[in-house]
Amino acid sequence: ARENGITIAGLIDDAPRTDMMFGLPITNTGDAIERFGIDAIVLSSDAWEGSIWQNAARFRNAGVPVYSLYGQYEMPKTPKPASIPRVA
C-alpha cells in the first residue's frame, strides 16, 4: 500500500494468526527484514507500545529506525548494519 509517498510493505507480529490483514502481508519478527526489505518500522499500539518497543530492539540494533506513535523512547546512537539472524 502506498500513501503520501510512503510504501507500507506489510505488518510484523510476534505470533501472526493470519497471512494477510488490511490487504497487507503479515510476517513474524524473525523474517521481517528479509521478507519486506524494510527501511523503518512504525509501532501502532497505544496499550502495548512499551512492550513492542522492547521487542523491536533487534531491529534498532540492526540499524532499522523504529518510530513510536504514542510514547517517546531513546534510539541507539550508533546504528549497526541491517543484518538480523533468522530465528527458527
Side-chain angles (χ1 to χ4, degrees), residues 41-44 49 53 66-73 75:
I41 294 174
V42 177
L43 306 181
S44 64
E49 190 176 80
W53 177 264
V66 177
Y67 300 98
S68 61
L69 296 178
Y70 304 100
Q72 294 183 346
Y73 307 92
M75 295 280 275

Side-chain angles (χ1 to χ4, degrees), residues 19-86:
D19 293 334
M20 298 285 289
M21 182 179 281
F22 308 115
L24 296 167
I26 301 175
T27 193
N28 62 45
T29 54
D31 294 334
I33 289 180
E34 289 177 7
R35 181 166 179 204
F36 295 144
I38 55 179
D39 297 318
I41 294 174
V42 177
L43 306 181
S44 64
S45 172
D46 185 15
W48 297 99
E49 190 176 80
S51 295
I52 295 170
W53 177 264
Q54 294 297 322
N55 291 341
R58 65 184 299 129
F59 299 107
R60 294 190 307 277
N61 291 338
V64 176
V66 177
Y67 300 98
S68 61
L69 296 178
Y70 304 100
Q72 294 183 346
Y73 307 92
E74 188 172 324
M75 295 280 275
K77 299 194 182 348
T78 308
K80 298 177 185 169
S83 173
I84 296 179
R86 185 177 279 262

